């Protein structure tokens, strides 16, 4: 009967064997992805031909100077104002009901179409025609909306100032 195995010796690879194994793995990888590598080399060649690689290389060499200039530009008052305005508008838009916004945009487009049609007809607005148009349910609805919008706007301005 054979003696039981009591210890297992791990095969230790030399640095040369590890390098050879890595080289074989790399060869396998290259042969499996030949078409993709050819496309990558084609892209890199085109970038080199137009000078883009040289430009990127110069930018990398001057990265600290570029970062300093970019930060200087971003920290200017007009740019920080724009960023603050965009954040405020984003907050306002996120607080608004999307369905109401959609309805308002549709109504705005409809109103612009109606206004363009009226301008094309070159109608004159008289006091009598104004009184008559106020009775139109669509106009009355828009006036009611506008009046209450202005009322809410005025309240908001009073609270803010």
């Amino acid at each position: 009967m054979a003696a039981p195995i009591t210890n297992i010796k791990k095969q230790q690879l030399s640095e040369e064997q590890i390098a050879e194994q890595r080289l074989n793995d790399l060869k396998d990888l290259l042969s499996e992805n030949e078409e993709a590598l050819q496309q990558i080399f084609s892209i890199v060649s085109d970038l080199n031909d137009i000078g883009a690689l040289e430009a990127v290389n110069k930018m990398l060499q001057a990265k600290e100077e570029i970062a300093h200039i970019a930060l200087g530009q971003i920290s200017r008052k007009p740019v920080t104002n724009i960023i603050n305005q965009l954040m405020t508008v984003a907050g306002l838009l996120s607080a608004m009901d999307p369905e109401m916004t959609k309805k308002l945009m549709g109504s705005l487009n409809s109103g612009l179409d109606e206004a363009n049609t009226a301008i094309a007809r070159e109608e004159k607005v008289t006091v009598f025609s104004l009184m008559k148009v106020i009775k139109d349910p669509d106009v009355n609805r828009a006036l009611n909306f506008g009046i209450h919008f202005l009322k809410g706007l005025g309240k908001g301005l009073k609270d803010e100032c």
Side-chain angles (χ1 to χ4, degrees):
M1 186 166 171
I5 300 173
T6 56
N7 63 2
I8 299 172
K9 290 185 180 179
K10 249 187 172 179
Q11 183 181 7
Q12 295 291 331
L13 298 177
S14 68
E15 291 291 326
E16 188 177 297
Q17 290 172 325
I18 292 172
E20 188 175 327
Q21 181 65 39
R22 287 182 181 164
L23 189 57
N24 286 334
D25 291 344
L26 186 58
K27 284 179 187 177
D28 292 342
L29 186 63
L30 288 172
S31 65
E32 290 171 7
N33 297 298
E34 179 183 358
E35 186 178 329
L37 287 169
Q38 286 177 349
Q39 288 178 352
I40 289 171
F41 285 132
S42 175
I43 291 169
V44 170
S45 177
D46 289 344
L47 289 172
N48 188 48
D49 291 344
I50 63 171
L53 291 181
E54 183 180 352
V56 170
N57 189 28
K58 295 290 184 188
M59 287 173 63
L60 288 173
Q61 290 173 2
K63 64 184 172 242
E64 288 181 17
E65 293 174 40
I66 292 173
H68 180 70
I69 292 170
L71 286 174
Q73 292 299 314
I74 289 173
S75 62
R76 289 184 11 222
K77 183 79 172 163
V79 177
T80 57
N81 283 345
I82 289 173
I83 292 169
N84 289 336
Q85 296 291 358
L86 289 174
M87 289 173 54
T88 302
V89 168
L92 175 67
L93 289 175
S94 66
M96 291 175 66
D97 178 27
E99 289 302 315
M100 179 57 90
T101 305
K102 184 178 178 181
K103 188 174 183 180
L104 283 171
M105 289 298 114
S107 299
L108 182 63
N109 284 333
S110 179
L112 288 172
D113 290 343
E114 192 75 28
N116 284 329
T117 303
I119 288 174
R121 290 191 305 242
E122 295 185 13
E123 295 177 351
K124 287 192 174 195
V125 177
T126 63
V127 174
F128 181 71
S129 66
L130 192 57
M131 296 304 274
K132 184 178 176 183
V133 81
I134 288 177
K135 293 180 182 179
D136 183 321
D138 294 331
V139 172
N140 195 282
R141 189 177 309 110
L143 282 171
N144 192 19
F145 178 85
I147 289 168
H148 287 88
F149 171 78
L150 290 173
K151 187 174 183 177
L153 180 63
K155 283 181 183 178
L157 288 173
K158 181 176 69 175
D159 294 342
E160 293 295 320
C161 295

